[in-house]
Amino acid sequence: MSSTTYSSFKLACIQLKVTSDKSANLINAKSKILEASRNGAKVIVLPECFNSPYGTKYFSEYAENIPQGESVKTLSEAAKEAKAFVVGGSIPERDSSGKLYNTCTVYDTEGNLIVKHRKVHLFDIDIPGMIKFQESETLSPGSSLTQFETDYGKIGIGICYDMRFPEMAMIAARKGCIAMIYPGAFNLTTGPLHWELLQRARALDNQFFVATCSPARDMKSTYNAWGHSTVTDPNGQIVATAEHDEAIIYADIDLEKIKQTRQMIPVSSQRRFDLYPDISAHK
Ligand SMILES: NC(=O)CC(=O)C(=O)O
């Protein structure tokens, strides 16, 4: 970790086109990470389920052991070559007892796997006539919250449905995070309803940056991702966003903006923990 103090850095979200060919997904992910790095990105984010189609019937076939699997190897090489922090979206993970998880792995600039986050809140919803999805049919939930250190500040991780639970972001902010990153794959029902609203809410509530990274939309796949990878600033304003095709979006993460927003509207020092609990004290 560098001892230099930075006032800003460039973050990239890669809205990757995900296919059923795992090797092709890995090659594409690595090539896009290197492209983002050539364009100056220092923290590079991949989407949820970037090495596999998103669906309960695929998770077992595509699952890998972490850190032995080929996805970790590829992302570690990519982070080292790019000299950037890589937030490796997520992959289906199989642990030594055979349980499956939806897991994000994170790498430092030397390619070391520094942390992994297993999706804590599983995506189990049923909107009649629109979408039914039950991750819990095959996946187990993670059991811890995740933050990691970078040269620029601490960053919290959640995966997709985790974004609907404000407590996670609130805890990350109160533990000193400058941003929350959510690899995610909303769909054509919940995407237009909630995707942007949730990330702007998480950013505004906590006066920090929020980045989301979705797979590109593929109307031939069994799950149609919403796309619209987005970066939101501490004022709840969108500073970068994509449509639904494959794309890389870039945002300058200006750390002064966090300080300024919190100075102007100092909600974090105005809380009334005499009236409600401080949930960040919980873990
Ligand atoms: N895919 C998810 O985990 C979440 C999602 O699509 C939603 O909350 O809507």
Side-chain angles (χ1 to χ4, degrees):
M1 198 89 60
S2 150
S3 57
T4 317
T5 307
Y6 294 89
S7 59
S8 69
F9 67 93
K10 194 181 272 194
L11 179 138
C13 295
I14 300 174
Q15 185 162 289
L16 199 74
K17 188 171 172 186
V18 176
T19 70
S20 55
D21 180 341
K22 193 203 268 192
S23 304
N25 295 334
L26 293 180
I27 290 169
N28 192 20
K30 184 173 178 188
S31 129
K32 293 283 187 303
I33 289 169
L34 297 179
E35 178 183 335
S37 146
R38 283 195 299 278
N39 289 329
K42 300 296 181 198
V43 176
I44 302 173
V45 187
L46 289 173
E48 179 175 32
C49 224
F50 83 90
N51 72 358
S52 142
Y54 184 54
T56 49
K57 68 175 179 191
Y58 302 109
F59 294 145
S60 179
E61 181 190 338
Y62 286 77
E64 294 180 19
N65 182 280
I66 295 174
Q68 283 91 340
E70 55 180 323
S71 298
V72 168
K73 185 170 175 286
T74 304
L75 294 186
S76 165
E77 285 168 7
K80 190 172 180 185
E81 244 175 276
K83 295 189 181 58
F85 288 86
V86 170
V87 177
S90 77
I91 63 168
E93 175 194 6
R94 179 177 285 105
D95 76 3
S96 53
S97 70
K99 278 188 178 171
L100 300 176
Y101 301 90
N102 186 341
T103 303
C104 173
T105 53
V106 180
Y107 306 81
D108 69 12
T109 55
E110 279 156 22
N112 300 304
L113 171 60
I114 49 174
V115 87
K116 73 175 182 185
H117 174 75
R118 288 172 169 166
K119 190 173 190 175
V120 168
H121 304 94
L122 294 183
F123 178 43
D124 285 356
I125 67 164
D126 187 359
I127 306 178
M130 304 300 275
I131 179 169
K132 179 168 183 195
F133 202 102
Q134 302 288 311
E135 275 190 320
S136 64
E137 282 170 0
T138 53
L139 298 183
S140 297
S143 53
S144 54
L145 305 184
T146 309
Q147 293 113 30
F148 66 98
E149 293 286 351
T150 70
D151 295 335
Y152 318 101
K154 212 194 298 184
I155 294 179
I157 297 285
I159 300 175
C160 204
Y161 202 60
D162 284 338
M163 183 161 66
R164 291 187 182 271
F165 300 84
E167 293 87 348
M168 274 178 76
M170 220 180 272
I171 289 170
R174 295 201 203 144
K175 285 190 182 297
C177 287
I178 55 165
M180 195 75 196
I181 294 180
Y182 297 99
F186 274 37
N187 49 75
L188 301 190
T189 301
T190 61
L193 274 175
H194 297 149
W195 174 252
E196 180 184 316
L197 187 58
L198 282 166
Q199 54 200 295
R200 293 184 69 190
R202 297 297 82 87
L204 183 60
D205 279 350
N206 298 294
Q207 299 178 311
F208 64 1
F209 287 89
V210 169
T212 55
C213 189
S214 168
R217 189 176 308 162
D218 175 2
M219 291 310 289
K220 292 196 205 81
S221 69
T222 53
Y223 184 91
N224 308 130
W226 176 236
H228 295 268
S229 301
T230 297
V231 181
T232 303
D233 78 7
N235 256 319
Q237 301 301 302
I238 291 176
V239 289
T241 193
E243 293 295 330
H244 56 73
D245 291 333
E246 187 169 70
I248 307 181
I249 58 162
Y250 297 92
D252 283 318
I253 305 299
D254 177 358
L255 302 174
E256 271 305 306
K257 238 184 195 178
I258 300 176
K259 279 192 205 140
Q260 284 164 3
T261 308
R262 290 178 181 177
Q263 259 160 22
M264 291 186 293
I265 308 177
V267 288
S268 60
S269 61
Q270 293 168 330
R271 297 201 194 281
R272 293 290 306 274
F273 293 133
D274 55 326
L275 299 179
Y276 43 77
D278 175 4
I279 54 155
S280 67
H282 175 64
K283 279 214 174 198

